[in-house]
Every structure is written in structure tokens, then in C-alpha cells.
Amino acid sequence: SQSRAEEGDTAERLQQELEEARRAAEDNKGLAETLRLERDQLQSQVQGDASRESSQVKTLQAELQAAVADNRRVEEQRSDAESRARMQQANADSAAVEVAKLKQESTRGV
């Protein structure tokens, strides 16, 4: 009879452990679902951040390309202006030489 009582106690203890294990499993399922939802939310947030950053990079690349093109145009205009200035200076120098020659000839002729 004592052995049956011990078997009953053991069965009751095992039944309690089984119930605790079932509750823990349910708790773990709830926790796993919560973690899955949090992971999905973070993944979505990261993808959104990456998409925004990619868009910003594309915008900055376009702005950089426009700035480089502007710089090229400005450099071409500066180079053209320098060329025109050199030509005008050469023309002015030639004109000054011609004026000097004419003055010299006119003073000789007088």
C-alpha cells in the first residue's frame, strides 16, 4: 500500500510537471510570436531606412554630377575668356606698335 501511495505521489508529481511544461511551452510560443513580430517590424524599418538612404545617395550623386558639369562649363568659359583677353592684348599691342610707327613716320615727314 505504501508503494501504491508512492506511485500515486509520483504520478501526481509527474502530472504537475507535465502541466508546468505545457504552460512553459505556451509561454514560449507567445514569446516566439512576439519576437517574430518585433523582428519583422525591425526588418521593415531597416529596409525603409536603406531605401531612404539609397534615395539620398542617388540624389547626392545627381547633385554632384550637376556640380561637376557646372564646373566644366565655368572652366570652359574662363578658358575662352582668357583666350579672348590674350587675343585682345595682342591686338592692342599690334595697334600700339602701328601707332608708334605712324607717329615716328609723321615726325620724320614733318
Side-chain angles (χ1 to χ4, degrees), residues 14-63:
L14 289 174
Q15 184 65 33
Q16 287 176 350
E17 288 178 12
L18 178 61
E19 287 301 317
E20 287 176 15
R22 285 184 180 148
R23 280 194 297 272
E26 284 299 313
D27 289 347
N28 286 341
K29 278 169 67 176
L31 181 59
E33 179 64 15
T34 299
L35 291 173
R36 185 188 65 75
L37 291 172
E38 287 179 7
R39 181 204 64 207
D40 291 350
Q41 183 181 2
L42 287 172
Q43 219 169 18
S44 175
Q45 185 178 347
V46 165
Q47 287 172 346
D49 289 349
S51 176
R52 278 189 297 282
E53 288 172 5
S54 175
S55 177
Q56 287 174 339
V57 165
K58 287 177 184 173
T59 299
L60 290 173
Q61 285 174 333
E63 289 175 3

Side-chain angles (χ1 to χ4, degrees), residues 62-99:
E63 289 175 3
L64 176 60
Q65 288 173 346
V68 166
D70 286 346
N71 285 346
R72 280 192 194 121
R73 280 191 294 279
V74 167
E75 180 60 26
E76 288 171 4
Q77 290 170 351
R78 184 192 61 76
S79 178
D80 290 348
E82 286 178 351
S83 293
R84 283 192 306 275
R86 281 193 298 273
M87 286 176 25
Q88 289 170 347
Q89 184 63 49
N91 289 342
D93 291 347
S94 293
V97 167
E98 280 299 312
V99 168

